[in-house]
Amino acid sequence: MQTNLFSEAPDAEPTGHPASQDWQARAAWLKNELHRHNHAYYVLDNPSIPDAEYDRLFRELQELEQTHPGLITPDSPTQRVGGAPLSQFKQVRHSVPMLSINNGFSDEDIVGFNRRVCEGLAALSPVEYAAELKFDGLAINLRYENGILVQAATRGDGAAGEDVTANIRTVRAIPLRLRSDNPPAVLDVRGEVLMFKADFERLNQRQREAGQKEFANPRNAAAGSLRQLDPRITSQRSLRFYAYGIGSLEGAQMPESHSALLDWYVECGIPVCAERATVEGVDGLLGFYRDIEVRRTALPYEIDGVVYKVNRFEQQKKLGFVSRAPRFALAHKFPAQEALTVVQGIEVQVGRTGALTPVARLKPVFVSGVTVTNATLHNEDEVQRKDIQIGDTVIVRRAGDVIPEVVAFVPELRPADARPFVMPAVCPICNSPIIRLEDEAVARCSGGWVKCAAQRKGGLLHFVSRRAMDIEGLGDQLIEQLVERRIITTAADLYKLGFSSLVELDRMAEKSAGNILAALEKSKKTTLARFIYALGIRHVGESTAKELARHFGNLDALLAASEEQLLQVADIGPVVARSIRMFIDDPLNIELIEQLRASGVTWEEAAPEARAQTFAGKTFVLTGTLPNLTREQAAAKIEAAGGKVTGSVSKKTSFVVAGEDAGSKLEKARELGIPVIGEPELLALLEADTH
């Protein structure tokens, strides 16, 4: 029984497809399915199958194409992976020039634009406009012939650009084949390649970890990714695409309006941004602008304004062009989010975790509607990488409510008396030594939350949290009051709180004070794992705390353990072992532990014992309501047998333990072929371990 439960489940075979022996039909079916799922994932943002199933279909198509090379077509999903590096980009001449549009910055500019349009059309009623976003990315022309993507080129100088077809094929949001039974003979789609903010942050994180130069902003990242000579590098970057215009069109009737064109693109499977509208007159234009301006920081991508276009193509043609720019369109730019100013000083701030962040004190400058006087420099390495010195003239960026940051300094404006920044040797709050581990970019105060006031609130909130000491009623605002009024300075002081000191706090009724005292008393009876976790030792999370409690059995054995002995604990490496030992070696931390014990905090201790191995290397997910065990009880039993419990189902999950009302986790387990067991099977496996 046990062997069967641990065996691999066979992959489920999809239904409703050609027989595997008919390899031509099978390949065609696989291509259609993969195109459909790519569209659902990258364009609709609504995945239709699990990643594992997509990967299985993709591998099957790869194997078919390897066996039968004649099946490989330019629109095959397998052709997105990127080919051999290019020696250079070829030049492509645009069949219809890719022109720029003029900019407007004020309400008066928009009023003037609308007036000129009305005069040019001799309009007696408000003109209808298509309003959309002005993306901060890279303009691209995509050429489709008979529905197949055959070429992609950058804007370049407007008349000719660079051939980036090999790289564009790796952008999964761009269809290799149009979703149309009757595609046009030729279609040039104009649009923007961009990188979402979250993908940009992940890319820079990878660049930092690899010791490589970071990108300044999402636009530079998108442009740099698309202009790689090696398409395999581009394929590793998360690029997106939104269409906003058209070049040549042959073999199909041109839609009557810009909005109709974008609707047609959607039908063809071409990504179009949902943030667009048709409006009338100046009020409609300014209304769209102000709506987007308010929501700008919440958008997943960077924009630097909105674009207005006369909606009907017949009217666009009548208005024509001037100085190589259309009279029928205007970009309404947002106020600048970057500005120049001077670094007057660099100080360090101590965060709740002890992390020291260099902060530039700036000569006040107006950026994106706000006067900025401070900007983050992130960490010591970042200051050195950007070579920011006191006295430098720097570029400051602010995006919405995000803390302003220094982007770069202006070399030609550096004064002769500029001074480099030096990280202090001791914490500016508590004078504890500043430490920086070899594998970390952040310097930290070594005082911890017991000694350093800057870390105290965060440490106390962790101590009282549900998975630590679980003291109900002690939330953020109450802890802040207790700390600011100096009623408590350590966790041990919580157990010295009296009724009178609590009722004097803001918004604290007598009943609430009584409830908190009761919760404090209840929390005194805990477990060793919870107590270790509550201490807030750096790198010691809930799972590690459980491993330490299981391995040593009692607190005194843990406190006496050397780094070598700590390394014998499952999942503990040199960094964690060193962090634990540093915590124990601080007399203030030992004094806190003794005070907590003296306050009556207790737990059951046991002799150290060998860890059971039945579930070693196995990962469990719990879902639904079990008949007799709570989830915490079931998790404790699994962990006691050497297993791990996680909150989400993946290909690495060994078992899903399901009870009544099991939801999406159970469905995903079935989709992935993960073994599903109930409480009786779980208990049977645990029982087998005791014999």
Side-chain angles (χ1 to χ4, degrees):
M1 182 72 172
Q2 182 174 341
T3 304
N4 291 338
L5 283 170
F6 282 126
S7 63
E8 293 288 333
D11 287 333
E13 178 71 15
T15 59
H17 57 82
S20 298
Q21 298 90 331
D22 186 356
W23 45 266
Q24 288 181 320
R26 178 66 171 174
W29 180 85
L30 287 168
K31 290 177 184 179
N32 283 327
E33 283 296 286
L34 291 168
H35 283 311
R36 184 167 66 86
H37 297 312
N38 270 332
H39 182 76
Y41 188 97
Y42 292 101
V43 181
L44 303 181
D45 196 23
N46 184 28
S48 51
I49 57 172
D51 290 347
E53 177 63 12
Y54 180 92
D55 293 341
R56 193 181 72 81
L57 296 175
F58 190 88
R59 286 195 303 271
E60 183 182 350
L61 179 59
Q62 277 184 316
E63 291 168 1
L64 272 175
E65 291 180 343
Q66 288 170 2
T67 307
H68 307 284
L71 294 175
I72 300 175
T73 57
D75 65 320
S76 174
T78 62
Q79 301 308 295
R80 290 190 183 275
V81 295
L86 307 173
S87 59
Q88 62 181 10
F89 293 112
K90 297 178 181 178
Q91 289 293 302
V92 173
R93 192 152 198 87
H94 301 304
S95 58
V96 175
M98 295 183 70
L99 304 179
S100 299
I101 58 177
N102 291 325
N103 295 323
F105 298 93
S106 64
D107 289 4
E108 290 74 19
D109 292 337
I110 309 310
V111 171
F113 166 67
N114 179 70
R115 184 185 65 253
R116 292 190 297 274
V117 166
C118 291
E119 291 172 352
L121 296 175
L124 300 177
S125 58
V127 174
E128 183 179 71
Y129 295 96
E132 52 198 3
L133 306 185
K134 186 178 186 301
F135 299 107
D136 198 9
L138 189 68
I140 291 291
N141 183 86
L142 305 178
R143 168 154 288 212
Y144 289 88
E145 294 181 358
N146 298 312
I148 305 298
L149 177 66
V150 295
Q151 189 183 74
T154 61
R155 180 199 297 274
D157 62 3
E162 293 177 318
D163 187 336
V164 289
T165 309
N167 290 344
I168 280 293
R169 286 184 180 279
T170 71
V171 181
R172 294 183 180 272
I174 295 175
L176 300 178
R177 183 180 63 200
L178 299 179
R179 295 160 60 97
S180 173
D181 294 332
N182 186 28
V186 175
L187 171 63
D188 281 343
V189 178
R190 302 280 167 84
E192 198 96 354
V193 169
L194 64 154
M195 184 176 287
F196 279 20
K197 297 173 185 176
D199 295 325
F200 171 71
E201 294 299 331
R202 283 190 286 268
L203 172 60
N204 267 351
Q205 178 65 31
R206 294 199 300 271
Q207 295 290 103
R208 285 192 293 271
E209 292 171 354
Q212 297 176 352
K213 182 179 179 181
E214 295 179 46
F215 292 95
N217 53 55
R219 187 194 185 284
N220 286 356
S225 299
L226 195 59
R227 298 191 74 258
Q228 292 287 331
L229 290 174
D230 188 348
R232 291 169 296 187
I233 297 177
T234 309
S235 70
Q236 297 168 6
R237 310 281 175 83
S238 298
L239 297 178
R240 312 291 182 114
F241 173 82
Y242 285 129
Y244 56 65
I246 189 169
S248 294
L249 177 63
E250 299 175 15
Q253 185 176 355
M254 177 73 80
E256 293 184 352
S257 66
H258 181 77
S259 58
L261 170 69
L262 298 186
D263 290 340
W264 178 50
Y265 279 169
V266 172
E267 294 174 5
C268 292
I270 299 169
V272 174
C273 182
E275 299 291 344
R276 55 191 174 96
T278 53
V279 300
E280 290 186 347
V282 170
D283 290 343
L285 295 175
L286 294 178
F288 180 82
Y289 173 88
R290 287 173 183 139
D291 174 58
I292 296 299
E293 187 177 31
V294 169
R295 298 189 289 114
R296 178 185 184 185
T297 57
L299 297 174
Y301 36 71
E302 296 283 2
I303 60 172
D304 53 8
V306 298
V307 176
Y308 310 132
K309 299 173 184 174
V310 172
N311 193 30
R312 298 190 65 81
F313 288 133
E314 181 183 352
Q315 292 180 327
Q316 288 187 11
K317 185 177 181 180
K318 183 176 181 180
L319 288 166
F321 296 80
V322 59
S323 301
R324 295 176 58 81
R327 289 190 176 95
F328 55 80
L330 185 76
H332 191 175
K333 301 289 289 290
F334 290 129
Q337 290 189 292
E338 294 184 345
L340 291 179
T341 188
V342 176
V343 178
Q344 298 178 323
I346 299 178
E347 301 174 3
V348 294
Q349 291 182 344
V350 184
R352 290 186 180 184
T353 64
L356 268 67
T357 302
V359 176
R361 304 303 181 194
L362 306 172
K363 182 179 179 180
V365 61
F366 197 70
V367 187
S368 189
V370 173
T371 299
V372 173
T373 57
N374 303 315
T376 181
L377 293 169
H378 299 293
N379 56 57
E380 186 179 13
D381 286 351
E382 187 76 354
V383 178
Q384 294 175 357
R385 185 182 71 79
K386 293 180 177 178
D387 191 20
I388 306 298
Q389 297 188 14
I390 299 167
D392 274 343
T393 296
V394 294
I395 302 169
V396 179
R397 176 187 299 139
R398 179 181 179 273
D401 295 329
V402 177
I403 299 172
E405 68 169 336
V406 174
V407 179
F409 81 102
V410 183
E412 56 268 28
L413 297 180
R414 170 167 284 174
D417 60 349
R419 306 188 315 277
F421 165 74
V422 178
M423 180 67 73
V426 297
C427 174
I429 304 299
C430 68
N431 290 321
S432 296
I434 299 301
I435 60 172
R436 179 179 170 184
L437 300 180
E438 293 180 3
D439 55 348
E440 293 189 352
V442 177
R444 297 180 185 275
C445 165
S446 62
W449 61 282
V450 176
K451 187 184 299 184
C452 184
Q455 304 176 59
R456 189 162 296 146
K457 180 182 173 183
L460 287 167
L461 283 170
H462 172 79
F463 183 86
V464 305
S465 63
R466 186 172 66 86
R467 296 189 179 276
M469 297 302 288
D470 192 20
I471 306 175
E472 192 173 347
L474 282 175
D476 188 275
Q477 293 183 351
L478 186 56
I479 290 291
E480 187 167 354
Q481 286 191 68
L482 292 170
V483 170
E484 288 183 352
R485 298 187 186 190
R486 298 186 179 180
I487 297 173
I488 60 173
T489 56
T490 73
D493 293 336
L494 289 169
Y495 294 100
K496 301 173 186 177
L497 287 172
F499 183 80
S500 58
S501 61
L502 285 172
V503 294
E504 291 176 358
L505 299 174
D506 297 340
R507 296 184 294 278
M508 178 60 66
E510 293 185 0
K511 183 177 179 180
S512 298
N515 290 338
I516 289 172
L517 292 176
L520 282 163
E521 190 64 31
K522 180 181 177 182
S523 73
K524 289 181 179 180
K525 186 174 177 61
T526 186
T527 65
L528 178 57
R530 279 181 175 269
F531 183 78
I532 294 170
Y533 177 59
L535 291 175
I537 305 171
R538 181 157 172 74
H539 297 305
V540 176
E542 190 179 3
S543 176
T544 303
K546 290 177 180 177
E547 293 290 353
L548 289 167
R550 182 183 297 119
H551 183 90
F552 291 103
N554 64 82
L555 185 61
D556 291 333
L558 170 60
L559 297 179
S562 64
E563 280 192 40
E564 290 74 17
Q565 291 171 317
L566 289 167
L567 286 170
Q568 296 173 12
V569 182
D571 297 332
I572 288 185
V575 172
V576 180
R578 192 182 316 125
S579 179
I580 296 170
R581 195 60 252 173
M582 287 176 61
F583 181 90
I584 295 171
D585 288 339
D586 191 324
L588 284 178
N589 292 329
I590 298 300
E591 181 182 346
L592 170 65
I593 290 171
E594 294 307 319
Q595 287 181 356
L596 289 168
R597 280 173 150 175
S599 299
V601 177
T602 61
W603 53 85
E604 291 185 8
E605 294 194 336
E609 57 186 26
R611 170 177 171 159
Q613 295 297 310
T614 300
F615 287 170
K618 302 297 176 184
T619 302
F620 291 73
V621 172
L622 303 171
T623 181
T625 304
L626 301 179
N628 302 299
L629 298 174
T630 65
R631 287 198 191 183
E632 287 191 355
Q633 289 171 333
K637 290 181 179 291
I638 291 168
E639 289 165 350
K644 289 187 176 182
V645 178
T646 62
S648 59
V649 180
S650 71
K651 291 182 286 188
K652 296 181 179 180
T653 303
S654 306
F655 296 98
V656 169
V657 182
E660 290 186 12
D661 299 323
S664 58
K665 293 177 184 178
L666 177 59
E667 294 176 6
K668 187 166 185 180
R670 288 171 175 164
E671 290 174 357
L672 296 178
I674 306 298
V676 177
I677 62 176
E679 182 182 298
E681 292 88 349
L682 174 64
L683 294 175
L685 290 174
L686 290 167
E687 182 66 22
D689 177 53
T690 63
H691 298 296

